[in-house]
Amino acid sequence: MWFSFWKPRDRFSLDELRYLTDQLVKVQIVNEVNKDFVIEALRSIAELITYGDQHDSTFFEFFMEKQVMGEFVRILKVSRTVSVSLQLLQTISIMIQNLKNEHAIYYMFSNEHMNYLITYSFDFQNEELLSYYISFLRAISGKLDRNTISLLVKTHNDEVVSFPLYVEAIHFAFHEESMVRTAIRALTLNVYHVGDESVNRYVTSAPHADYFSNLVTFFRKQCINLNALVSDTMKNLGAESAETTTLISAAVDEIEDSLYYFSDVVSAGIPDVGRLITDNILQLLIFPLLLPSLTRKAVEGIQIGAAISLYLVCCILRIVKIKDLANTIAAALFCPLDAVIPKFGSKPNGYTSSCAFEHESQPPDSNNLTKADAGILRVDVTNLSSSPQIHSADVPRENDCCDFHLSLREALISYITSGDNVQVAGSLSVLATLLQTKELDESMLDALGILPQRKQHKKLLLQALVGEGSGEEQLFSSESGSSRDGVEFGSELDSCLRKLKEQYGVVCSFLEVRASPRVHRFQVLDALVSLFCRSNISAETLWDGGWLLRQLLPYSQAEFNSHHLKLLNDSYKNCASALLNETRGIWPDLLITILSDEWKRCKRAIEASSPRKEPKCILLSSQMFSSEDGITSDSSFAAGERMCELVKVFVLQHQLQIFSVGRSLPEKPPINPPADIFENSRAQSAGVDSSGPKLGTELRLVDAVPCRIAFERGKERHFCFLAISLGASGWVVLAEELPLKEPYGVVRMVAPLAGTDPKVDDKHSRWMHLRIRPSTFPFVEPARYGAYGKARTKALVDGRWTLAFRDEESCNSALSMILKEISLQSNEVERRLEPLLDLETIVESSNSSLGPPKATSSYSTLSNSL
């Protein structure tokens, strides 16, 4: 037999297929002796069937005539080795994937051979076998359509009662190996997208519908694991930051992959699946885990932090596009925390239900609504037809039990006004996501106080066109476009509130829901203005707030009032003063360049149609540049970070001033042009042009002071020292004198003048110490910085020069030269920034360069107030 098997034969011929089949039929048991032959026969048959499908139909006709699929099943039964099972699964997978003929696929799926292989008890302890089995299942699912799927199910009275492919596959849906989970998800999507109604009823019936609740349960576990990972990172900030960031990014990717899978499942169009996913996300994740974690108080049983909760709410709204889910989450924000916690089993530490709650005890038609205990802000609505007075309130006290009576919407606002940077970023991201969620009804946005101004006026314009008097009146009034009486929000909100109460047992505060949308809008605007006045929030997060304010920026003084303008004005002046100090700091030569770049970036960011950052940035924002090894707070690198941060804040504050008077932003900041070189300047005397001194070039050593310096131990060198400023730039130069060409010298060393911090040695009056900072730094663009890692920061350690002069007089002369040139450089930078720092000229320059205002005449009042 062995001799005849190996005799020469045309490999791709029907005779070869006939021979291999005959030999396979003769095999009665597969053991270590003949397993190699069986494996090779199975592999060769797969090749021949694939070849015949493309070139000769008689190959597969023979395959059907001899019932080779039945032989495959028999071989599996009599096999005693894993290697044969592996090859058999691979053989059938290859055939299924490569067969193009529909009749061939129908035959492969018929006669129950495929279902037998699917339900066969393989030893899945063998990881390789499991991998081949999963590939086999996925290959089958790739050929499913309305016709082929009927060959893999069993029916009774036109109802599917058995579907082995689906049932066996979801057993591995939560396998520890991510590749297995991914394959099973692809398989289930193939099943859902077939669109067979009987199969759809099968997968959404008990017990198979449990798969969807198990999906959400598994996702909940992923969320808790991510929270643990982020918590550990915050406890050990700075240690193994690169590795930790990679782990967090991987965990975030898995979570977002799960949500995209939910979205893909819903997009299959199975009505019951969307309902199942919505109910499970709400009951297993949103109500018991995410919403209770938004409180600042400790809550028993909550396994997740506020930052993770904010991130997850954003992701769910952005990715899982289910209208019912989005509107229910938004409606739940009107509920107090104590309406969610008792219902879903958690309770606040020290929680007492008898805590007084002022606006619960007030009648619905109260003329004065004062949220004194809200811990966010105070709104006095004496007359809703006039402008409410909004004041910053105290930060919530740590042990104030009434925090649990605050609505979740108010909790989000409290994070903006008094939370840390991560909490602020998360809250802003949630509000921005709600605003961008197309599935969310506009009445819900209006009730939350975040309906964009363009949508408000569009709605009022439509009302005016169809003859609704209130719409026309509000459109041309100086008040908000939202309902002034705050009684009607729309049927969508009412429907969601009823559903919360009837289906989930969550009851919202009447006054919180029925308060005027203008009150809620004022709270959001007031919180954003308060945010811009905070000094402990990163500039990137403030820019996010700037984008949100730009979306909500009203047309009239009734909303953006003089109190807001005063706060922004004071904050701007403080920021401008700090920026002015930077002209005499370590990096004045780069200040104008950075400011111009950040102006453009900030303008793009706050005028963009959507937020510039993804929600994952909420979690990754804690990885700060200054945590890198070797960077100290007094280094020029740290000073540069602080200056860049200050510039970003200043640019935002300046652009907000322009927005506040209803003007468009100029493309470039108002900065004076460079001054001409003075004839008696040291730069002109030395022959230095705008490009600065270059190594190896000659320059005149006017006022140069001889000195000595050792760059290596025991190797002292003689130079002539010179300090030169030219406009906003400046350098310290060490040049070698040319004896045959006095008073010229050759430049050997050049360093930035700014930041040299010259000091005469306390013990040696002829020695002077200089700090030599880098000529530039990498964190102007944080994204670019991340690609360089620690190696780049180590290259930015400050250098030190110790210069030895001939005598004390020479040392003092060099010191005076440096201080004078530094002063000239700083003065020039300050001169160029004068138009930008002068708050009085902001409105005037806008008026002269941009023409008449774009909004109503009420802006003149704002201008006078400013």
Side-chain angles (χ1 to χ4, degrees), residues 699-714:
L699 77 166
R700 296 187 61 188
L701 302 179
V702 179
D703 299 331
V705 183
C707 66
R708 303 188 313 274
I709 185 172
F711 293 107
E712 299 179 48
R713 184 182 295 275

Side-chain angles (χ1 to χ4, degrees), residues 375-594:
I376 303 166
L377 38 81
R378 184 170 67 256
V379 184
D380 299 329
V381 189
T382 304
N383 185 355
L384 285 175
S385 64
S386 62
S387 175
Q389 299 300 313
I390 306 178
H391 313 282
S392 296
D394 297 332
V395 176
R397 295 186 297 274
E398 190 64 27
N399 296 319
D400 185 2
C401 68
C402 287
D403 180 66
F404 292 99
H405 291 285
L406 294 178
S407 71
L408 296 168
R409 183 193 64 81
E410 291 174 310
L412 287 177
I413 296 177
S414 74
Y415 281 133
I416 296 176
T417 57
S418 56
D420 59 33
N421 189 71
V422 174
Q423 292 166 342
V424 172
S427 294
L428 291 174
S429 185
V430 169
L431 293 178
T433 302
L434 288 168
L435 191 149
Q436 292 276 301
T437 302
K438 296 180 180 179
E439 291 74 25
L440 206 57
D441 194 87
E442 285 190 6
S443 64
M444 199 76 72
L445 292 177
D446 199 17
L448 290 169
I450 57 174
L451 183 64
Q453 60 178 13
R454 63 185 185 277
K455 292 186 177 180
Q456 288 186 20
H457 285 255
K458 178 181 177 181
K459 179 180 69 174
L460 295 176
L461 179 61
L462 291 175
Q463 291 177 355
L465 290 174
V466 298
E468 295 184 13
S470 61
E472 184 176 0
E473 177 186 353
Q474 294 179 53
L475 180 64
F476 296 104
S477 72
S478 62
E479 300 176 7
S480 169
S482 302
S483 174
R484 284 175 291 171
D485 296 332
V487 179
E488 295 299 334
F489 276 149
S491 59
E492 186 66 37
L493 177 59
D494 293 335
S495 174
C496 290
L497 293 176
R498 284 195 300 271
K499 180 178 180 180
L500 282 173
K501 180 179 179 180
E502 296 170 1
Q503 187 169 341
Y504 305 109
V506 177
V507 182
C508 296
S509 166
F510 178 81
L511 290 182
E512 167 68 15
V513 174
R514 292 305 179 187
S516 167
R518 293 184 59 231
V519 173
H520 293 170
R521 183 176 177 82
F522 295 146
Q523 288 179 340
V524 175
L525 290 174
D526 197 67
L528 290 174
V529 172
S530 174
L531 170 66
F532 299 134
C533 300
R534 298 182 60 184
S535 59
N536 60 341
I537 303 299
S538 71
E540 293 289 321
T541 301
L542 293 178
W543 282 15
D544 295 338
W547 178 88
L548 184 59
L549 181 64
R550 188 70 181 89
Q551 298 294 311
L552 306 177
L553 196 62
Y555 283 110
S556 62
Q557 184 183 8
E559 289 180 300
F560 207 65
N561 54 35
S562 59
H563 177 64
H564 292 147
L565 292 173
K566 184 180 183 305
L567 291 176
L568 291 176
N569 192 355
D570 293 342
S571 181
Y572 174 83
K573 288 181 178 179
N574 293 334
C575 196
S577 177
L579 186 70
L580 187 61
N581 292 334
E582 287 296 333
T583 63
R584 304 190 180 278
I586 299 177
W587 299 91
D589 49 338
L590 295 180
L591 181 57
I592 293 177
T593 300
I594 294 172

Side-chain angles (χ1 to χ4, degrees), residues 93-104:
S93 298
I94 291 173
M95 292 172 62
I96 293 173
Q97 290 172 349
N98 290 281
L99 289 175
K100 307 298 181 183
N101 188 287
E102 292 184 2
H103 297 291

